Amino acid sequence: MADNTPLTDYRNFGIIAHIDAGKTTTTERILYYTGVIHKMGTVDEGNATMDWMEQEQERGITITSANTTCFWKKKKLNIIDTPGHVDFTVEVERSLKVLDGAVVVLCATSGVQSQTETVWRQADRYNVPRMIFINKLDRLGASHERTMGQILERFDCNAAPLQLPDATEDAFKGLFDLVTRKYHVYMDDKGDNIEVKDIPEEWKEKVEQARHDMLEKLADADDSIMEKVLEDKGISADEIHVAVRKAVIAGKFIPVFTGTALRNKGVQLLLDAVTAYLPSPLDVPPVEGHDVKDEEKQLTRPCDSKAPFSALVFKVATDPYVGKIFYTRVYSGTAKSGETLYNPVAQKKERLAKIVVMHSNKQEIVPQVSAGEIVALVGLKESTTGHTLCDLNEKIVLENMNVPEPVVSMSIEPKTKADADKMGLTLKKLLDEDPSLQVSYDHETAQTIISGMGELHLEIIVDRMKREFGLETTVGRPEVAYKETIQQPAMEVTGKFITQTGGRGQYGHCVVNIEPTEEKGQGIIFVDQIKGGAIPREYIKPCEKGFREGCLNGILAGYPVTDIKITLIDGSYHDVDSSELAFQMAAKEALKEGLKKGKPVLLEPIMDVELVSPEEFMGAVMGDINTRRAQIVNTGVMGSLKTTRCNVPLSEMFNYVNAIRSLSQGRASFTMEPSFYDVVPQFVTDKIIGDRAAAANK
């Protein structure tokens, strides 16, 4: 690209956190200090650069991950600001898949919240090196020590602060750097005028103790520091910088920084830390993938502009002026505008019409893209989220990202018959953009059903259909995405499909064992144990297909079946009459019989709910949550507030926001995220089955 920045000076990182921790404000300050913008916007005023969607500005939350590029001390920063709301967790998922590092932002008042733990686990899944920024130190009730305690307890990681604040709330003026033993004092409101002083006498003992504790933690991750700590030798700032960088990249140490982004304190030091400690594209392992023709054959691509081209499309967005844009992380090789690449997932050639660098929702056209960069491509026809782009002659399929299962569904219909086709096209565009959205058609009720990660997720989808596509719709009440499973094994269940109609008939016969899986969340496991050719090899796949298709609709209320192990143990065939279709139908019959014998039950999504309330309202809040079939996990204290963590069925949490506001005069809050599926009590099951039957008979 035009700036000729070497790869060692690239930092591809994301800002991740719980909702309201201050991610977007932190990114806004980064853009200001790096000279990308000249006036700082705020989320509250709806003019933050990274929150460009109307829905984001109105609600004061981030909905879609936004990408931008800036420079700090000759280092090139590609930043992705991600949403914190659990309904948009796929945005975090796909960002972490392609990033080399992450900054986890925590609120000094609220500490480590449930959604923060979720993004932490997502970062663990992709082995993303990270550091922590404790934000909002100026807020009433802020506590650096309490937040540090929660980091160590809830994340169970080797973390230590590299800075200490000189105070909190209104008294917060500066930061002590434990590495350089210097005191950074902020002399103006914009954070531009910083004086670096020696540490005042009254703070020296506390700073030295904190430095010693930090070095002991670092010693656990670095042998050279360990030797010096044991020998009680002096350790220079440069030695600490080298050791911290090495340990962060290896995932063995989490440095913690602090400040207040809204009051413009601590952000420049955070930028220094990003450039000093987070990895460049050359510091992370080569990307892994597999051969196009053989999934077992593993391939890698080094981060080298001269290697064969490979890239992952991690997000698709629709721009009103240029159409679809494809956010892409390039792992190896170089590509120029106008070149033709190959999409091995769609098995189609793709031509690059244009390459752009994104600055939130604005674009800068560039002539080419190389390894290590994050850009947006224009002109692709067959690609979508999770697809690979590679060299025409050196093909590779890169690993796709993990997409969470939807937990809430609702029916949606166009207001006029004329809009029926338009709704289909609009939903297709939204499906291309959002892999966590699912669309299906319920034949019983003749309705289109959209499924997503929560009420807000579906509300935003409907709102976007109206604003961006001019489509008015009528929506049904949100419904829970239940599942079905069995509680006991059903052994040697027979399924037969035999017809005889004059000429050639149909003959399929299989015998199966159907058992609950050992662990929750394992889905459908199929095992082939046919011996002696009782069922010919060519009919095994049709049997599996029949079982999997049968699992889409359970026998209790027609919900998908999950967490069962199906073992094909025996069967028979007819030389003339057997066919793939016959064995498919026989498998469905066997499944139906097995589910009946296996004590079928409904499963419902259980949410991990965290309640935060002033003490005087906690009794009323707890009384209400207990009527919602809640199971209390633990209780705690956060400053002057009481906290409760509990597991509550999602079906009991619809419209809870209004309930908790009225119970607490608007002073209590809650967060929730999907945790696991559990068996529905019988009285609730009976009601669900009755409601489904009534809807089908309408």
Side-chain angles (χ1 to χ4, degrees):
M1 281 164 75
D3 51 76
N4 295 322
T5 307
L7 268 179
T8 49
D9 290 344
Y10 271 69
R11 299 291 180 270
N12 296 324
F13 71 100
I15 309 244
I16 60 174
H18 185 94
I19 190 167
D20 264 353
K23 299 175 299 301
T24 301
T25 305
T26 303
T27 312
E28 192 77 6
R29 299 308 181 258
I30 287 172
L31 296 180
Y32 173 76
Y33 293 126
T34 56
V36 173
I37 58 173
H38 302 291
K39 180 177 182 294
M40 290 184 269
T42 69
V43 173
D44 293 339
E45 290 172 19
N47 59 352
T49 309
M50 302 300 267
D51 281 354
W52 55 270
M53 284 173 73
E54 284 177 28
Q55 291 92 336
E56 294 177 316
Q57 291 161 3
E58 287 169 4
R59 289 172 170 81
I61 61 168
T62 302
I63 291 168
T64 180
S65 52
N67 201 88
T68 194
T69 304
C70 54
F71 287 85
W72 180 254
K73 297 185 177 174
K74 296 186 178 175
K75 298 283 193 291
K76 180 171 183 173
L77 312 179
N78 282 322
I79 308 169
I80 297 182
D81 173 31
T82 65
H85 199 288
V86 64
D87 283 22
F88 310 106
T89 190
V90 74
E91 293 285 341
V92 184
E93 192 81 33
R94 57 179 163 198
S95 300
L96 287 171
K97 176 81 178 90
V98 298
L99 291 169
D100 302 326
V103 175
V104 181
V105 180
L106 299 180
C107 169
T109 306
S110 308
V112 178
Q113 294 167 280
S114 57
Q115 183 60 16
T116 324
E117 292 181 64
T118 300
V119 297
W120 191 269
R121 287 195 298 271
Q122 287 172 306
D124 279 342
R125 188 183 301 130
Y126 296 115
N127 296 318
V128 178
R130 69 212 80 145
M131 47 202 246
I132 293 171
F133 179 61
I134 299 176
N135 190 25
K136 301 191 178 184
L137 269 186
D138 58 313
R139 285 271 295 270
L140 192 67
S143 168
H144 184 269
E145 281 180 24
R146 185 180 67 234
T147 309
M148 261 319 298
Q150 289 184 358
I151 288 168
L152 297 172
E153 179 195 337
R154 289 204 178 181
F155 293 155
D156 190 24
C157 62
N158 183 28
L162 267 60
Q163 297 169 344
L164 283 186
D166 61 1
T168 54
E169 300 180 8
D170 289 344
F172 174 49
K173 296 285 183 293
L175 293 163
F176 300 110
D177 188 324
L178 304 184
V179 179
T180 59
R181 293 185 169 109
K182 291 291 179 188
Y183 180 33
H184 297 253
V185 190
Y186 292 85
M187 311 303 287
D188 67 342
D189 286 342
K190 277 200 167 179
D192 288 322
N193 185 8
I194 307 168
E195 278 192 20
V196 182
K197 304 177 177 179
D198 289 331
I199 290 169
E201 218 35 65
E202 68 271 22
W203 277 92
K204 275 190 175 167
E205 190 179 335
K206 188 171 183 182
V207 169
E208 282 306 312
Q209 182 58 49
R211 190 178 198 265
H212 179 265
D213 293 346
M214 177 266 290
L215 287 173
E216 283 198 334
K217 293 265 187 162
L218 187 56
D220 289 340
D222 188 279
D223 292 343
S224 61
I225 298 291
M226 173 78 82
E227 280 177 30
K228 298 205 167 185
V229 167
L230 291 173
E231 292 168 15
D232 209 13
K233 286 184 178 175
I235 303 171
S236 70
D238 285 347
E239 286 173 313
I240 295 172
H241 283 315
V242 169
V244 171
R245 178 174 176 76
K246 205 166 89 182
V248 168
I249 291 169
K252 293 178 178 176
F253 180 71
I254 311 286
V256 182
F257 304 90
T258 193
T260 164
L262 189 64
R263 301 279 172 260
N264 314 312
K265 296 179 174 68
V267 179
Q268 295 101 319
L269 291 172
L270 178 67
L271 278 168
D272 288 343
V274 164
T275 57
Y277 305 133
L278 286 184
S280 76
L282 295 174
D283 294 317
V284 293
V287 69
E288 293 181 355
H290 63 78
D291 189 81
V292 175
K293 289 175 182 161
D294 181 6
E295 285 192 24
E296 299 298 311
K297 188 178 176 186
Q298 295 297 302
L299 302 170
T300 58
R301 290 281 185 271
C303 184
D304 183 349
S305 59
K306 293 183 173 60
F309 186 83
S310 69
L312 185 75
V313 176
F314 66 93
K315 179 176 172 174
V316 180
T318 304
D319 184 283
Y321 305 108
V322 294
K324 276 189 186 177
I325 50 177
F326 300 80
Y327 289 82
T328 305
R329 165 69 195 257
V330 180
Y331 287 102
S332 63
T334 304
K336 295 184 172 69
S337 304
E339 252 183 54
T340 299
L341 299 170
Y342 185 69
N343 178 336
V345 182
Q347 298 183 350
K348 295 278 171 62
K349 290 180 181 178
E350 290 277 37
R351 186 176 172 277
L352 293 187
K354 198 163 62 170
I355 302 169
V356 293
V357 172
M358 297 302 295
H359 300 285
S360 186
N361 62 334
K362 297 181 175 62
Q363 303 159 5
E364 175 199 341
I365 299 173
V366 293
Q368 67 174 45
V369 61
S370 296
E373 294 177 25
I374 295 174
V375 293
L377 307 177
V378 180
L380 307 182
K381 296 281 187 285
E382 307 293 338
S383 300
T384 188
T385 303
H387 280 195
T388 302
L389 294 171
C390 62
D391 190 283
L392 286 165
N393 302 315
E394 298 275 352
K395 293 170 186 162
I396 184 173
V397 180
L398 302 179
E399 184 191 23
N400 200 345
M401 63 206 71
N402 180 63
V403 178
E405 289 253 328
V407 292
V408 176
S409 304
M410 69 184 183
S411 61
I412 183 166
E413 293 172 4
K415 281 218 168 139
T416 64
K417 288 268 194 297
D419 279 343
D421 289 344
K422 188 178 181 183
M423 189 174 90
L425 292 168
T426 302
L427 284 171
K428 186 177 184 315
K429 284 180 180 172
L430 292 168
L431 283 168
D432 284 345
E433 291 183 23
D434 184 353
S436 66
L437 177 70
Q438 288 186 10
V439 176
S440 59
Y441 186 75
D442 189 329
H443 290 280
E444 284 183 5
T445 58
Q447 288 177 317
T448 300
I449 307 292
I450 57 172
S451 308
M453 298 307 299
E455 281 182 281
L456 181 63
H457 184 200
L458 298 183
E459 187 188 313
I460 297 288
I461 291 292
V462 172
D463 193 34
R464 286 188 61 196
M465 290 173 88
K466 183 179 173 182
R467 291 194 198 191
E468 293 174 32
F469 302 97
L471 183 66
E472 293 275 358
T473 55
T474 307
V475 296
R477 209 169 60 85
E479 289 189 13
V480 174
Y482 292 101
K483 291 186 178 181
E484 298 185 20
T485 192
I486 57 171
Q487 289 184 302
Q488 65 185 31
M491 310 304 276
E492 297 187 11
V493 182
T494 301
K496 282 185 179 177
F497 183 74
I498 303 170
T499 60
Q500 197 66 48
T501 51
R504 183 182 167 182
Q506 296 280 8
Y507 184 94
H509 167 222
C510 61
V511 183
V512 292
N513 293 337
I514 300 178
E515 306 157 89
T517 54
E518 288 177 13
E519 291 174 26
K520 288 179 181 175
Q522 289 188 288
I524 310 296
I525 299 172
F526 174 73
V527 180
D528 167 24
Q529 281 189 0
I530 291 294
K531 293 184 176 68
I535 298 176
R537 302 296 330 146
E538 65 265 27
Y539 297 137
I540 302 294
K541 275 275 181 225
C543 281
E544 182 180 358
K545 188 180 178 190
F547 291 131
R548 292 192 182 277
E549 281 183 6
C551 286
L552 297 175
N553 300 98
I555 60 165
L556 280 178
Y559 291 109
V561 179
T562 189
D563 292 347
I564 61 168
K565 180 182 175 185
I566 303 166
T567 309
L568 185 59
I569 55 170
D570 200 2
S572 63
Y573 69 100
H574 189 280
D575 286 334
V576 178
D577 290 352
S578 284
S579 67
E580 290 190 2
L581 177 66
F583 274 98
Q584 230 171 292
M585 299 304 289
K588 286 182 182 176
E589 284 300 314
L591 178 73
K592 203 180 287 183
E593 280 303 307
L595 293 178
K596 282 179 191 168
K597 289 182 180 176
K599 263 186 85 180
V601 287
L602 279 186
L603 298 173
E604 63 183 342
I606 305 294
M607 309 303 281
D608 180 0
V609 178
E610 192 163 39
L611 305 167
V612 180
S613 171
E615 191 167 355
E616 65 262 39
F617 302 113
M618 202 60 182
V621 169
M622 290 304 295
D624 177 75
I625 202 76
N626 282 326
T627 67
R628 297 170 186 268
R629 298 194 278 135
Q631 288 186 317
I632 309 302
V633 177
N634 60 42
T635 56
V637 179
M638 189 190 290
S640 61
L641 302 170
K642 295 275 188 184
T643 65
T644 300
R645 197 131 181 212
C646 48
N647 293 327
V648 192
L650 174 61
S651 58
E652 304 286 350
M653 293 299 289
F654 285 135
N655 214 15
Y656 183 62
V657 65
N658 293 332
I660 196 170
R661 277 178 189 158
S662 62
L663 287 167
S664 65
Q665 297 171 13
R667 290 174 62 196
S669 64
F670 77 101
T671 56
M672 69 174 184
E673 58 168 357
S675 185
F676 58 93
Y677 270 80
D678 206 1
V679 176
V680 178
Q682 192 58 47
F683 74 96
V684 182
T685 299
D686 294 342
K687 185 178 183 304
I688 293 164
I689 293 171
D691 290 348
R692 290 279 280 186
N697 292 331
K698 270 186 184 176

